[in-house]
Amino acid sequence: MVHNNYLRFILLTLLVSVSSHVNAGKTQERFSIMGLGDSITEGSQEFSSYLYSLWEELFSKGYDFDFIGPRKSECRIGELHHCGFSGHTVEFLNEHIDSIYHLYPADIVLLHAGHNHFSAEKPVSGMIKAYKSIIAKIHHIKPGATVFLAMVTPSGKLPKYSYIPELNRAIKKLVSSYHSSKVVLVDMATGHDYRTMTIADRVHPNKLGRERMAHIWATAIEKRFKAQHPAFRPESICYKTVGADSLSLYVFKAKGRKPHPTVVYYFAGGWKYGSPLQFFRECAWNAAHGITSISVDYRIGYLYGTQAEDAVEDGIDAIDYIRGNAKKLGVDPSRIIAAGASAGAVIAGKIPDDRLKARILYYPVVDSLQSEVSQIHRPVLFMIGTRDSFTPIDKTKAFLLRLCENNTYCDYHIFEGLPHPLFRYREPLDAVYYRIRSLTDDFLGKMFSSQ
């Protein structure tokens, strides 16, 4: 930790405080998932895949996992990998699964593929043969893999898909014939209403439909695989409406009735992508140690077509809502710290000083804070890597020097050899993550111990 004249001396002599990059770290047990199917798995410009909703639900339930496959689809957290082939049949999947699964031997395969035939073809018997062949090829390569075989979502596109009820009966019979925990029936058909759960084509899922599919997949996985961590259980509170949509705070309350010190987190994603789930781990950790923590959802380009200024507006509105509802939330409005990563750190940096106790800036894009730096007087925790592609080290030094000139308390840590971001929350956590958490804990202790 460096402050004032000492900080000035270090920066002017070009000596940088360095936190060592520790490569060692215990790898957490994880499993891999392959979504295998057609356009309902892949998604398109007109509709989204169920994959993001499934990722969100499994992450929230405490699972460590990765989606794998040769293809990828865009979603609010960037891209997710899968094995979905729009316009193709289950027979097509059978022809290619050998080569694909050798490269991507997932622990869990989610197989939903039953469209793209015509009823006049009488395709059911051939489709069942293809399912059996796919399962056999997967288990030949990886005997321990679990294949979740879904009964197909019904369609209102008739008579083309009038064979689906017959197909689903045959799928159910097929799965029961295995007498194996490694082949699991998943009922996507019962309760699926194409009138309310699909887009205008009466085939592909709308928001309600894909969220329902994701929940059914997640429930099936949960029955057979234990989560590696406790589930996250924040309270979701709407702080702002934008047209027909609402923006939420995800509140992790510390125990006790007294007003608590609070950290408010803003996710990374370059204004285009990102999810408030990024900081659920930190929020849960803080809450368990007496600090209420809140992860903020704000508008991003992928969902709303918005720009940076819209996200900043949301960030400030979130703080104002929290302060205005401090008693209900159990928040001490005099002890609020704004924290964020990358673009989220820029939002934290742009919150007016009079709303905050301090700031935590994880690898911020400092070019976006040039007009605010002279107005930042509250204490700052600052972390960045020497190989940050958005903020070269000379710009980092210049930014820290300007904070010093403001007489701003600055606890800064520069990680030798690390890029942007310092860690990836969707990947296995290593020693760097826990080093960052330790440094953050120390800073929070200093900021909140005096009151």
Side-chain angles (χ1 to χ4, degrees):
M1 186 273 294
V2 188
H3 185 310
N4 296 340
N5 291 332
Y6 188 41
L7 172 62
R8 185 191 307 275
F9 171 76
I10 288 181
L11 290 172
L12 290 177
T13 56
L14 302 181
L15 296 176
V16 181
S17 171
V18 175
S19 293
S20 297
H21 179 193
V22 183
N23 290 317
K26 186 176 181 180
T27 302
Q28 300 180 45
E29 182 182 351
R30 301 172 73 85
F31 57 81
S32 53
I33 301 174
M34 176 189 286
L36 177 61
D38 47 35
S39 56
I40 291 176
T41 298
E42 182 173 17
S44 75
Q45 294 295 323
E46 289 73 38
F47 63 93
S48 296
S49 166
Y50 62 79
L51 289 171
Y52 172 73
S53 295
L54 177 58
W55 175 87
E56 190 175 74
E57 185 161 351
L58 291 177
F59 186 95
S60 296
K61 287 183 173 181
Y63 286 95
D64 289 332
F65 63 96
D66 299 291
F67 284 127
I68 64 173
R71 300 167 72 81
K72 51 192 177 183
S73 293
E74 189 178 22
C75 64
R76 73 168 293 170
I77 55 172
E79 294 176 326
L80 289 174
H81 289 263
H82 60 83
C83 192
F85 293 86
S86 296
H88 288 288
T89 65
V90 67
E91 290 88 347
F92 172 89
L93 298 178
N94 180 43
E95 290 173 8
H96 294 85
I97 191 62
D98 235 345
S99 57
I100 291 172
Y101 195 73
H102 269 292
L103 295 174
Y104 302 94
D107 301 304
I108 293 172
V109 178
L110 307 179
L111 176 52
H112 179 277
H115 295 89
N116 301 315
H117 275 291
F118 288 86
S119 183
E121 300 170 4
K122 299 188 182 303
V124 172
S125 62
M127 296 173 75
I128 293 299
K129 289 180 182 177
Y131 290 128
K132 290 177 68 174
S133 179
I134 289 171
I135 293 168
K137 290 173 181 177
I138 288 172
H139 284 154
H140 178 73
I141 296 167
K142 190 169 188 173
T146 301
V147 179
F148 291 84
L149 178 55
M151 294 165 64
V152 178
T153 52
S155 168
K157 194 171 185 178
L158 302 171
K160 178 179 180 179
Y161 290 133
S162 59
Y163 65 84
I164 287 179
E166 177 191 353
L167 174 64
N168 283 336
R169 291 191 295 272
I171 289 173
K172 188 174 182 179
K173 183 177 180 180
L174 171 64
V175 173
S176 67
S177 71
Y178 281 95
H179 305 290
S180 170
S181 62
K182 298 301 181 182
V183 182
V184 180
L185 180 70
V186 179
D187 186 357
M188 289 289 176
T190 303
H192 178 85
D193 185 348
Y194 66 81
R195 293 166 297 185
T196 59
M197 297 179 182
T198 63
I199 61 174
D201 67 8
R202 296 172 292 171
V203 178
H204 298 100
N206 59 17
K207 184 175 186 293
L208 177 62
R210 62 180 175 267
E211 288 179 353
R212 179 181 179 274
M213 288 188 73
H215 181 67
I216 292 171
W217 285 128
T219 300
I221 291 170
E222 192 174 18
K223 288 178 179 178
R224 289 158 181 84
F225 291 84
K226 184 179 179 181
Q228 296 93 334
H229 311 283
F232 300 112
R233 303 187 187 280
E235 180 181 359
S236 177
I237 298 173
C238 173
Y239 74 91
K240 181 176 182 177
T241 57
V242 181
D245 294 331
S246 61
L247 297 174
S248 295
L249 306 174
Y250 295 89
V251 182
F252 293 72
K253 291 183 178 179
K255 292 182 179 179
R257 294 185 177 182
K258 67 178 182 179
H260 289 283
T262 299
V263 182
V264 180
Y265 287 97
Y266 301 96
F267 58 82
W271 317 115
K272 183 177 182 181
Y273 301 113
S275 166
L277 276 68
Q278 175 177 356
F279 284 111
F280 276 18
R281 288 191 191 98
E282 289 77 3
C283 288
W285 173 263
N286 291 343
H289 292 82
I291 301 171
T292 289
S293 295
I294 301 172
S295 193
V296 179
D297 196 9
Y298 61 84
R299 284 174 290 173
I300 53 176
Y302 173 73
L303 294 178
Y304 296 94
T306 48
Q307 304 298 320
E309 55 267 25
D310 302 300
V312 173
E313 176 190 297
D314 295 341
I316 295 172
D317 289 344
I319 289 288
D320 289 344
Y321 179 93
I322 293 165
R323 289 172 56 84
N325 294 272
K327 185 175 181 179
K328 179 177 71 173
L329 296 171
V331 168
D332 181 348
S334 69
R335 293 192 291 169
I336 296 175
I337 291 179
S342 191
V346 173
I347 297 176
K350 290 178 180 284
I351 305 295
D353 254 22
D354 60 1
R355 271 88 150 181
L356 301 177
K357 172 78 174 178
R359 291 176 175 82
I360 299 174
L361 308 181
Y362 300 121
Y363 49 94
V365 183
V366 299
D367 279 347
S368 298
L369 288 172
Q370 292 306 315
S371 60
E372 285 78 23
V373 64
S374 62
Q375 302 168 36
I376 296 176
H377 299 285
R378 300 294 189 187
V380 173
L381 173 63
F382 183 99
M383 300 187 202
I384 204 164
T386 58
R387 294 186 178 178
D388 192 296
S389 56
F390 294 94
T391 302
I393 194 63
D394 58 334
K395 289 188 176 181
T396 295
K397 296 175 187 177
F399 182 81
L400 293 173
L401 183 58
R402 290 188 66 186
L403 289 179
C404 170
E405 291 168 350
N406 294 347
N407 202 34
T408 299
Y409 178 100
C410 184
D411 184 351
Y412 79 92
H413 303 268
I414 300 177
F415 289 76
E416 180 64 40
L418 287 188
H420 185 113
L422 290 175
F423 68 92
R424 297 182 184 276
Y425 73 101
R426 291 164 51 195
E427 297 179 2
L429 304 180
D430 61 11
V432 172
Y433 173 83
Y434 293 103
R435 173 65 173 155
I436 290 170
R437 186 164 76 179
S438 177
L439 293 169
T440 302
D441 288 346
D442 290 345
F443 181 77
L444 295 177
K446 293 170 187 174
M447 293 299 104
F448 294 146
S449 63
S450 61
Q451 297 183 26

